[in-house]
Amino acid sequence: MSSQNELYDKSWTAALSTWSSFLYTCFFALVAALVARHALVKIEPAVPFSIAIPPQLASDYQWEVKGKKAKASDPEVIGSRIYPRCPADGRSLGPPIDPADSSDIDAAIIAAASAQLRWAQTTFAERRQVLQTLLRYILDHQEEIVTACCLDSGKTRVDACFGEILVTVEKLQWTIKHGEKALLPSKRPTNLLMCYKSNTVIYEPLGVVAACVSWNYPFHNFISPVISALFSGNAIVVKPSEQTCWSTSYFLKLIRGALHACNHSPMLVQNIICLPDGADYLTRHPGISHITFIGSKDVAHKVCASAAKVLTPVTVELGGKDPVIVHDDAKTISRLPNVASILLRGVFQSAGQNCIGIERVIALPKIHDKILSHVLPKIQGLKLGSILLSPPDSPVDMGSMISSSSFIKLENLIATAVAQGAVLHCGGKRYNHPDFPNGTYFQPTLLSNVRSEMQIAQTELFAPVFLLMKADTIDEAVELANSTIYALGASVFGHNSHDVQKCVRGIKAGMVAVNDFGAFYMCSMPFGGVKASGYGRFGGEEGLKALSNVKSVCEDAPWAKLLGIGTQIPPKLQYPVSRDGWDVCKGVVGTGYAIGWAEWVGSVTGLLTALVRSDRSIVRKATDKNAESLDPDTKT
């Protein structure tokens, strides 16, 4: 018996070894194939270039930070001038900026249009080289770009790396590798009646497009529409937010530097810094062929109304009240630390000023309290400050908000929610930073027992506020997720495939990440929402095609040309139309679209009969009647 067991063990060990070898072989073969595929993709070399770096980005730059405490109402726009400042500590970033007027906008559009005529004729290889050159520069100058973003928006370096650098280089790399495939002519099927036709859809540049972008990601929001516009053969005018316009002069220089290094006109990209009146002139300008708008719903109404005056199409990406549904299956509960870590990043990234930031955490019963007890000490321990002025040995977890303009509204929403039964565990108020009295900080906040009828559960906060809600069932969780006017992004955490897919299918949103947060953006998928979160998509193939004239071309197929086959109007359908014209038409419809063989044979027979039926008697009678009517001696 023991010998049999030994033999069995040896056989099992041998089989296991064989399977292991097979799996290892498959794995390494797959890796080798991926490496080979990557090596075979031809990437045009980057062209080195250099530009002047703003002196404020140097580590030894001598700053003058005001000692007095700034009032919450201190404006950044005084009169008609913009005074750039760092919201984390109040330092002035440079001299005031004079906004562009209508003549400046006209000049920018004219310059862009002139440069675009030649750019539209460039090859995809030439466009790829520009993007590759841009990618190389960004990778080599991450420190300067991140510093500029931190100064202009008050965020931390980590937040800037995730939200500015990482997503930008991903979009560049995706466009370099896959952009041409998305814009290549696409063959389309034909049908029986048009079997001699060849159908193609081609994607042509629109001309000069525009992008009006928000302040929360000053670098990425500026450069992202530029990447898509340039690769699709367009020129672009970018209108950044006046709240983070200081850094865009540097970003414009680096984009133009890449264009110039590759022997293309830097005028393809224009930067218009203006106030709302100037923005209205830009969005209704007849020289703009498409507008990408990233911002609030209220401003979107104005932009779309303005663009409608000249029928300019608009892609609208607005805010969200993004939900996360956390299931309470055993595997999800066992992975709570990782889930909670992702939730915290999704809520407090860039101080919550993120259009796809997590605004509502909807937890099932068995995991609700566990989430609460896990995240509370983490949130209480978050350290706020100016990443560029804080001591190196005192890391900062969260930066400032862009301004204090929303603080009263936030405090009132939180106070009202507490009065209605929500539990405030920490935060809830503005934070007067002892080291940076001129900074605009809000305390990291945790609220539980939040219900959907509360205003705080319906309003986009755009702030560092963790809202925890409880759902008893999957159906209730989906209902809560869909209970707002917004539908931008969402996340689902769970490991029961049926329940997860029920949420994915049931949630009304433009994007859903499973067991992750915002992963769809890092995969260059189409980005956008529905309902009050906007319409249209940017990113991925859809983003490139949205900036193209989608032209349908229908022509005779090569084999048809060779045989001399083409469209001819049958004699009985030519003017004047024969009495058999109706029978011919019915026969054509039936021949092309009859359902079933018997019906099709009948249609073909009817068509042929109508085509060959003699019209001579009909023509003779008509001729005699006409002659009779023309004879003056004929009596009626």
Side-chain angles (χ1 to χ4, degrees):
M1 187 70 177
S2 61
S3 61
Q4 289 180 345
N5 288 337
E6 290 177 4
L7 181 62
Y8 175 80
D9 290 341
K10 290 180 180 179
S11 300
W12 173 250
T13 302
L16 187 61
S17 176
T18 301
W19 271 106
S20 298
S21 299
F22 175 74
L23 292 175
Y24 276 120
T25 302
C26 290
F27 173 75
F28 285 113
L30 177 61
V31 171
L34 291 174
V35 171
R37 181 176 179 271
H38 181 78
L40 290 174
V41 176
K42 183 180 179 181
I43 302 297
E44 288 69 25
V47 180
F49 72 95
S50 62
I51 59 173
I53 305 295
Q56 295 92 329
L57 305 185
S59 58
D60 58 351
Y61 185 76
Q62 297 298 311
W63 290 98
E64 291 184 8
V65 182
K66 296 179 181 179
K68 73 178 185 69
K69 183 176 180 179
K71 297 179 181 178
S73 59
D74 279 355
E76 287 191 72
V77 179
I78 302 176
S80 61
R81 309 189 84 188
I82 301 170
Y83 290 78
R85 70 172 185 89
C86 175
D89 47 49
R91 76 181 92 177
S92 171
L93 297 179
I97 298 171
D98 292 314
D101 58 21
S102 58
S103 62
D104 297 322
I105 295 172
D106 286 336
I109 294 174
I110 291 171
S114 177
Q116 192 271 338
L117 294 176
R118 182 176 178 275
W119 179 251
Q121 305 304 316
T122 55
T123 64
F124 286 120
E126 291 176 290
R127 299 174 194 176
R128 273 196 301 269
Q129 186 173 45
V130 172
L131 299 191
Q132 186 73 11
T133 299
L134 197 54
L135 174 60
R136 180 71 270 163
Y137 184 92
I138 294 171
L139 292 173
D140 292 342
H141 296 82
Q142 295 181 58
E143 289 283 343
E144 293 93 335
I145 295 170
V146 163
T147 300
C149 294
C150 292
L151 286 172
D152 223 359
S153 66
K155 64 182 62 177
T156 68
R157 289 188 184 277
V158 171
D159 286 347
C161 182
F162 278 133
E164 309 281 5
I165 301 296
L166 190 63
V167 290
T168 298
V169 295
E170 158 56 25
K171 182 163 186 174
L172 280 165
Q173 186 181 77
W174 183 92
T175 308
I176 290 167
K177 288 185 175 182
H178 308 291
E180 180 175 358
K181 180 182 177 182
L183 294 179
L184 284 176
S186 170
K187 301 299 292 185
R188 300 300 170 90
T190 187
N191 54 63
L192 179 60
L193 296 180
M194 296 285 105
C195 63
Y196 59 94
K197 293 294 185 182
S198 174
N199 303 318
T200 310
V201 174
I202 59 177
Y203 302 95
E204 298 178 335
L206 290 174
V208 180
V209 299
C212 301
V213 297
S214 58
W215 45 261
N216 53 334
Y217 291 100
F219 178 62
H220 180 69
N221 285 351
F222 186 90
I223 197 172
S224 176
V226 171
I227 295 169
S228 298
L230 290 180
F231 196 81
S232 52
N234 299 296
I236 184 169
V237 177
V238 184
K239 187 259 173 218
S241 168
E242 61 272 18
Q243 291 180 295
T244 52
C245 61
W246 171 80
S247 58
T248 58
S249 61
Y250 169 47
F251 303 151
L252 178 68
K253 286 180 182 178
L254 69 88
I255 295 168
R256 286 182 167 179
L259 285 165
H260 183 266
C262 297
N263 298 314
H264 300 293
S265 174
M267 295 297 103
L268 283 164
V269 181
Q270 301 287 329
N271 180 27
I272 292 295
I273 298 172
C274 62
L275 298 177
D277 288 344
D280 178 70
Y281 184 79
L282 172 65
T283 53
R284 59 182 167 86
H285 199 288
I288 297 298
S289 300
H290 182 278
I291 298 171
T292 298
F293 174 77
I294 303 174
S296 69
K297 184 165 69 74
D298 292 339
V299 177
H301 283 295
K302 298 176 182 178
V303 169
C304 292
S306 177
K309 295 175 182 177
V310 287
L311 299 180
T312 302
V314 185
T315 294
V316 180
E317 192 272 290
L318 307 178
K321 190 69 177 173
D322 286 14
V324 173
I325 297 177
V326 186
H327 294 192
D328 57 1
D329 56 88
K331 191 171 184 179
T332 303
I333 293 175
S334 70
R335 298 186 177 184
L336 176 61
N338 183 61
V339 173
S341 178
I342 296 174
L343 295 178
L344 290 169
R345 171 57 60 182
V347 173
F348 297 105
Q349 166 88 14
S350 294
Q353 301 166 119
N354 186 356
C355 58
I356 55 169
I358 296 174
E359 292 253 346
R360 294 172 294 154
V361 178
I362 304 168
L364 274 292
K366 295 179 184 177
I367 202 169
H368 176 276
D369 292 349
K370 297 180 186 296
I371 292 176
L372 180 59
S373 61
H374 192 93
V375 301
L376 177 56
K378 298 280 189 181
I379 297 172
Q380 290 173 324
L382 291 177
K383 186 172 182 180
L384 281 60
S386 171
I387 191 67
L388 301 176
L389 291 182
S390 298
D393 58 347
S394 181
V396 171
D397 299 306
M398 193 180 85
S400 70
M401 295 185 68
I402 193 67
S403 75
S404 59
S405 61
S406 64
F407 286 1
I408 293 176
K409 178 182 177 181
L410 282 171
E411 290 170 343
N412 288 340
L413 284 170
I414 293 169
T416 301
V418 171
Q420 294 173 340
V423 178
L424 177 63
H425 297 273
C426 62
K429 295 181 179 180
R430 69 192 70 197
Y431 177 59
N432 297 317
H433 203 293
D435 297 326
F436 311 110
N438 296 324
T440 50
Y441 296 90
F442 198 86
Q443 296 174 352
T445 300
L446 173 60
L447 278 169
S448 67
N449 200 33
V450 176
R451 301 188 305 276
S452 62
E453 63 268 20
M454 296 178 179
Q455 189 179 0
I456 199 168
Q458 299 295 320
T459 305
E460 183 186 26
L461 302 180
F462 228 57
V465 180
F466 192 116
L467 296 183
L468 184 59
M469 308 173 75
K470 181 185 286 187
D472 292 329
T473 65
I474 298 293
D475 289 336
E476 184 185 357
V478 172
E479 184 179 349
L480 287 173
N482 294 334
S483 64
T484 75
I485 63 172
Y486 299 102
L488 186 57
S491 295
V492 180
F493 286 86
H495 293 84
N496 180 303
S497 179
H498 176 269
D499 290 344
V500 168
Q501 288 306 312
K502 187 174 185 179
C503 291
V504 170
R505 305 299 180 193
I507 294 173
K508 302 295 183 185
M511 306 160 289
V512 180
V514 177
N515 291 319
D516 212 329
F517 151 70
F520 35 76
Y521 200 56
M522 267 303 296
C523 296
S524 292
M525 298 182 73
F527 188 93
V530 293
K531 295 169 64 175
S533 290
Y535 51 82
R537 296 293 184 270
F538 61 83
E541 293 185 18
E542 290 76 4
L544 291 174
K545 292 175 180 178
L547 298 180
S548 303
N549 173 36
V550 183
K551 181 180 287 185
S552 299
V553 179
C554 181
E555 57 186 331
D556 293 336
W559 64 266
K561 294 178 183 178
L562 186 64
L563 298 176
I565 298 174
T567 298
Q568 292 184 346
I569 305 298
K572 293 195 175 183
L573 293 181
Q574 295 177 9
Y575 296 115
V577 178
S578 164
R579 190 180 69 174
D580 292 322
W582 172 240
D583 291 331
V584 172
C585 286
K586 287 196 299 181
V588 169
V589 173
T591 299
Y593 304 100
I595 300 174
W597 281 104
E599 184 180 347
W600 183 79
V601 171
S603 297
V604 173
T605 302
L607 173 60
L608 294 176
T609 301
L611 287 172
V612 301
R613 184 185 298 137
S614 174
D615 267 354
R616 283 179 295 177
S617 60
I618 300 172
V619 173
R620 186 181 300 113
K621 290 180 181 179
T623 303
D624 293 345
K625 187 174 182 180
N626 289 338
E628 183 179 347
S629 64
L630 294 174
D631 188 348
D633 297 329
T634 303
K635 296 181 180 179
T636 303

